[in-house]
Amino acid sequence: MWKEEDNKLKRSFQFKNFVEAFAFMTKVALEAEKMNHHPNWYNVYNRVDIELNTHDAGNTVTDRDRKLAEKIDKLYQG
C-alpha cells in the first residue's frame, strides 16, 4: 500500500530477484515517461522503493502522483 508522508507517496516492492525488480523498473520508467512524471526510486537486489511527489507543485503530492501510483500498482505482480 502507498503511504503518504513527508509530502510524498511512498511504497516498497519485493521481487524474487534482481532481474524481476529491474524489469518492473523498466515498465515503470516507460509509464512515467509517457506521463512526463518521474519517480524518485532506490533499488537494491530484489527491492524497489518508490517516492512520488510533484516538483512543479512545490514538492507536494498531487493527482499526477496518485495516477502514476495507480499505474505502478497495475504493473506490480507481487
Side-chain angles (χ1 to χ4, degrees):
M1 290 297 265
W2 290 92
K3 178 171 53 171
E4 188 170 340
E5 67 180 20
D6 302 324
N7 292 319
K8 298 172 187 164
L9 283 180
K10 300 178 179 183
R11 182 164 178 196
S12 293
F13 298 87
Q14 261 333 103
F15 300 90
K16 290 180 185 173
N17 54 46
F18 177 74
V19 172
E20 285 189 13
F22 196 87
F24 171 74
M25 291 176 71
T26 301
K27 292 174 191 173
V28 171
L30 293 171
E31 287 300 321
E33 188 64 20
K34 286 180 199 172
M35 293 178 67
N36 192 31
H37 192 56
H38 306 95
N40 295 318
W41 56 16
Y42 181 73
N43 164 246
V44 174
Y45 183 57
N46 69 335
R47 181 178 167 159
V48 178
D49 298 322
I50 299 178
E51 295 181 348
L52 302 173
N53 66 6
T54 303
H55 307 294
D56 303 15
N59 293 317
T60 60
V61 176
T62 67
D63 284 340
R64 289 181 77 199
D65 303 300
R66 290 183 182 89
K67 287 177 185 171
L68 182 54
E70 286 178 26
K71 290 180 184 245
I72 291 169
D73 284 344
K74 289 178 184 172
L75 295 171
Y76 182 58
Q77 303 294 316

